[in-house]
Amino acid sequence: MAPSKTPKSKDDKTKKRKRDVSDAVEALKRQRAQGASQTNGELDLTNGDSANIHNAVTGLSENEAGWRISRPMGGRMLDVDPILTENDQFLILTYNTSIQVYTAADSLLVRRIPITLIAPDTPKGAKSATIVSTKQSRQSPNLLWVACSDGIIYQIDWTVTAKDHKKFQTASKTAKALVTLTHDKSEIVVVAESDKPTRLELVAYQWNGENEPSSKSLVTFKKPGNGLQLLEVSANGQILLGALNDRVFLGKLSLDGGNGFDALQHEFFSFDAPDLVTTVDVRTYKRSAIGKKKTDASEVVDILVGGARGGIYLYHDAVARCQAEGGNASNKESLHAQKFHWHRKAVHAVKWSRDGAYMISGGSENSLVLWQMDTAKREYLPHLAGSVENIVVSADGASYVVHLDDNSTMILSTAEMRPTAYVSGIQSAVTESETPKDLLVKRVWGVAEQVQRPIPAAIRATDPSRLHVCVGNGRQATMSGALSAPLLQTVDLESFSSVLRQALARTQPTDLNLTHRGQTIDEPLVTHVSFSGDGKWLASVDDWQPPLRDIEHVTVDQREQFIRERREIYLKFWEVEEGTDSIALVSRVNGPHSTGTANPVLDLASDSSSTCFATIGGDSIVRLWRPRTKLLNGQPVKGAGGKEVSTWVCTDTIALGESVGSSALVESSSTKMVATQGKIAFSEDGSTILVAFGSAETGTIYVIDASAGMVVKVLENLWDGRLHSVQMLSQYVIVLSKELRVYDIVSDELRYGIAVPQLPNAQEMLQLAVDKNSGHFAVTLPTRTSSSIGIFNPSEPEPVLVRHTTQRIVSISATPDASGFIALDDAAQIWTITEGSDPSSIITAQSLQDLNLDAPGQTENGIDLNGDDAMMDDEDEEVDEGQAEVEDDDDEMDVDDAFPANIISQQSLSDIFDATPAFAAPSIEDMFYKVTGLLATKPLSASD
């Protein structure tokens, strides 16, 4: 029960302690005003933001500090056509920093080839080039041509492991797209280069892999406006098709003048399309002999052009019609096109079927559309998980490869339209690398340029190899309007693949999510998620309120009250099903902190030592929630399998502030509540609850005895400004607000304070996480486009490790059973920060480059099939592998017939002993249990 009043009278020692804390804070502020960079335990970071942290630990290496940060893992799939190799054997996907090869039969990762990888110790401000195009070589199927935005063209053999790739750079040091042609036993690479959005130049390169490439400029186009720069080639390599803004160009290449590269002849035509061009495709086939004139060309070229306003334009026999125009068609009226229109927004992808009887298109409607060309009838594959970004038709036409904007790609059989392979990565909110195709034309809605709030994520103590992160229905849907992340995705940190995705709040992924005015419908925002200490329960908080655009007719004085009355806040408790990652809703509490109107749930915390959750709300009340057996007529309710059904109830309420009762509740419901902030945390043993609560100007920390349910101590002047987090680590209270402050609650003194850089549009992303295993905590300091991660010992003001990441960190969590942290950035990449001296540090979530897993594997048809061992190795270290010999002695060992001698395969032992190098290997005890697990068999029943 809540006490009748909070401790108002304090003894002299408490009063003296409060004055000492206040005086210490004032002294720190005076020292900063005098420009002291580090005095009496304070490290000033206001000058030069997080760079000063790096300067504070200059000369401190990762080995000396004992901590290290991995290279980024995972990432997002780019808007680049996937590659399905011959016989549909392998699927090659382009990520933001790598090329990844998967088997099409079982969707398993075979090889990851880093392309634009940046090390974690990269200087601040450095940015990697982005991959803009990936094409398979026409001469050698084992080679890939990869073009980057900085003009570097890589030649990569995706079937073998290599540290260095052959490459050359374009003359303009830019690249927008790439296609390949075959000529005289050599390959010609045509690159679309552009240093301005209104100019595009096609340059052909012939390269032997050693010397400087021979180059030849084919044509240059100029067109004002802002659009895309596209380039495609026909299957026979003779027809080039591209677009610049709303200008379509068509080129016919030939080598009639000779056999040399200089003899490459070209004839280009261009014309204006009715809309900004977002996608193109070309098909060639032989002309029918019936009605054919002598002057007609031997083949027909049909092209498809997708527009930014949803139209698809078919230009039949485009080359012959352009030639009939007598030259460049752009000086005349545009060619007539047959128009198809179904998409409400931009056409993201359109492709011909192999026989030309269908065209396949996709956009933001989460549907794949099949158009029958003869009858114009449409068939749909609806309810996809995200917007369609890319479509590829296999060589035999039996499969479609569809890339969605939720960071997934699937292979569909054309006969049944069912997926035969599926690859999915982390689907959290990411920063848009380019302008979305739907926004090439002006619309009433928009997409946020950056992730503007931390993304809720959690790790279950009983399964630390899985990361649970809140995601939305595709990248564009997530970044439209308010951050939409109503789903919980379970990600396997060993394979960086999606395991499960389940809704936590109301969603409309397959409905029309636009109003009649063309504005997006906001979904509820999941603000907090947390697992219980035993990993059997999950608590979540979702919040929804009417957008301001919907209350334009309401007077200014009544708008706030209107929003408060219609606000929906739910606290939900989910039961984790045993043996699976799925969760089932057990209890839902409507308005857990409501006092006439909905008050927000400011924070949620779980007790690691018991099954208990705590919330702090805008009503200045702390509520403790625990499970109870559900009763019906005094008898326990039993569910499936005879298991008793549980429900969650509020067992304790603790009021904060000077007064309790209706007066406090009414005051908390006033307009002043908007500035109220609150954070909550449990101690390691669950006996103490820390609550930081107050307004933006002044803040107080309340120390609550969890067993007694009452406030036992009040700490004042420990935070001011915007409150980001409060945590307890051993005897230290760590508060992140305008300053990072560490307070020793045992010695009753402020250990140190660090001023946090006040950067515009970056304060939302300040985050704090504590690692109770190592006794350290991590702080992420964001900049406009990147972040710095600092690892601190609470007893020392100097960080033990500071590293700069090339992306903004949007979530950071401590691992429950090992020393370290897992950070998620706005490019859907995972960074692990581990303590090198701890042998139990996060091994499952280590990048393959850091593990040095580089060993020769088995090959088949020249293709290396050893998946993990074939990964790229960026270090110069080599791992010597020995081969253990096992001798069977029938005289010394009596083997039962029920246990064959070959029950343990060599691959099974290799998965245990060769999974990691020696420096990252688990303990001998863990290996012992893994080996005995292979030998163990199911015990016989008594009846046997």
Side-chain angles (χ1 to χ4, degrees), residues 358-409:
Y358 291 87
M359 68 176 178
I360 308 98
S361 66
S364 301
E365 299 79 14
N366 295 10
S367 298
L368 194 68
V369 187
L370 284 76
W371 306 73
Q372 189 174 0
M373 303 307 295
D374 292 339
T375 63
K377 292 183 178 180
R378 297 184 299 268
E379 298 179 4
Y380 307 95
L381 180 63
H383 310 319
L384 298 178
S387 300
V388 177
E389 291 295 322
N390 303 95
I391 301 172
V392 172
V393 182
S394 64
D396 57 2
S399 301
Y400 298 145
V401 183
V402 182
H403 166 220
L404 306 178
D405 78 332
D406 69 339
N407 208 23
S408 68
T409 298

Side-chain angles (χ1 to χ4, degrees), residues 11 59 98 132 137 166 205 246 291 374 420 432 569 670 673 708 771 785 881 917 922:
D11 55 16
S98 64
V132 297
S137 172
K166 296 180 179 181
Y205 293 90
D246 61 349
D374 292 339
T420 59
E432 297 283 352
I569 302 173
S670 65
M673 190 277 301
D771 178 18
T785 59
E881 297 184 357

Side-chain angles (χ1 to χ4, degrees), residues 16-28:
K16 183 177 183 299
R17 176 197 52 74
K18 288 178 61 179
R19 288 194 297 269
D20 292 342
V21 172
S22 178
D23 294 342
V25 174
E26 293 299 328
L28 293 177

